[in-house]
Amino acid sequence: MTGPMTNKDKPKKLPRHLAIIMDGNGRWAKRRFMPRIMGHRQGAKAVKEIVTAVRELNIPYLTLYAFSKENWSRPREEVEALMNLLYDYLQREVDELLGNKIRLRAIGELHRLPPKVRRLLFETMEKTAANYEMQLILALSYGSRSEIVEAARKIAQKCVSGELDPAQVDEELFASFLYTADIPDPDLIIRTSGEQRLSNFLLYQAAYSEFYMTETLWPDFDRNELMKALHDFSGRERRFGKTSEQILLRCTGNES
Ligand code: FPP
């Protein structure tokens, strides 16, 4: 799709929180006999296009899985190249984020990022902190299991110190100890490149998320591909464990 979006193009139902596992940069490059980093570079362009499209659609939360904890074990040159791409992205896009009232946030073990990248990331998060139209959340050095374990550890410490009674620990309280404390659970998770895994991404938060997997490699994932995913989501019925009839009654306001 080119040009601004018309109401006709817009799916009837949109996710409030869209999360994306961006996969396939390496294969995109390999198919073109290029070094992997070229795939990541093209992937960063796709990030820009998708952020713009999501903002235009008024979807308030977008989380992108940009670098997993496990990604630290990739070859040093690739890790460095990814960190440089992230740095360049932040540097280049800050005005765009400010102009479009997008708040940048990050989840993950941010202390592990190189100081230069960390500094710019925190600076950008501060500069955009008052923006309210959309939140762009980058998952960086992110691993869901360690996020959950860390939450459990903090809760245990509070129980030992007497600040918390174990009887108070419920799902809501537990979620408030995750990186995503004030972020709604993702309604839709997209994974590109044909892989069908969650790869340690938002395991707790994805309990009721819809999944959309596409063969398209991340660097080729454009507005058109995004709209396909959103139209697919729009046609789904989310029951949250209830029956279709109950959902229908709730929609018509006839639920007892
Ligand atoms: C997965 O592809 C992708 C990544 C590990 C990194 C994602 C990074 C970007 C899209 C670019 C930079 C990000 C921002 C926010 C500017 P892969 O390398 O695992 O692909 P493969 O499975 O085909 O090898």
Side-chain angles (χ1 to χ4, degrees), residues 22-27 36 40 43-44 66 71 74 82 89 218:
M22 309 182 289
D23 197 8
N25 295 350
R27 274 162 286 168
R36 293 177 58 81
H40 294 313
N71 286 153
R74 291 201 173 188
L82 280 166
Y89 175 81
W218 175 251

Side-chain angles (χ1 to χ4, degrees), residues 179-229:
Y179 296 129
T180 50
D182 58 345
I183 299 169
D185 287 344
D187 303 292
L188 172 64
I189 298 181
I190 296 176
R191 182 165 190 152
T192 58
S193 90
E195 308 293 346
Q196 315 224 352
R197 289 188 292 277
L198 213 38
S199 297
N200 208 9
F201 185 53
L202 302 177
L203 302 180
Y204 190 90
Q205 298 88 337
Y208 283 102
S209 303
E210 294 292 322
F211 287 90
Y212 178 88
M213 318 285 187
T214 169
E215 292 291 324
T216 304
L217 305 176
W218 175 251
D220 293 326
F221 194 86
D222 57 10
R223 274 167 179 269
N224 251 322
E225 294 291 329
L226 174 69
M227 294 313 286
K228 267 195 243 168

Side-chain angles (χ1 to χ4, degrees), residues 52-66:
T52 306
V54 167
R55 173 69 188 86
E56 280 176 24
L57 284 159
N58 283 321
I59 294 174
Y61 297 88
L62 171 66
T63 299
L64 299 177
Y65 202 6

Side-chain angles (χ1 to χ4, degrees), residues 21-30 36 39-48 64-68 71 74 78 81-82 85-90 92 136 138 140 191 193 195 197 217-219:
I21 304 174
M22 309 182 289
D23 197 8
N25 295 350
R27 274 162 286 168
W28 185 94
K30 200 171 170 196
R36 293 177 58 81
H40 294 313
R41 204 169 285 166
Q42 204 60 31
K45 288 187 187 159
V47 167
K48 183 175 167 62
L64 299 177
Y65 202 6
F67 194 85
S68 72
N71 286 153
R74 291 201 173 188
E78 185 168 341
L82 280 166
L85 270 180
L86 178 60
Y87 186 88
D88 292 347
Y89 175 81
L90 295 172
R92 218 180 30 240
L136 168 61
L138 298 181
L140 297 167
R191 182 165 190 152
S193 90
E195 308 293 346
R197 289 188 292 277
L217 305 176
W218 175 251

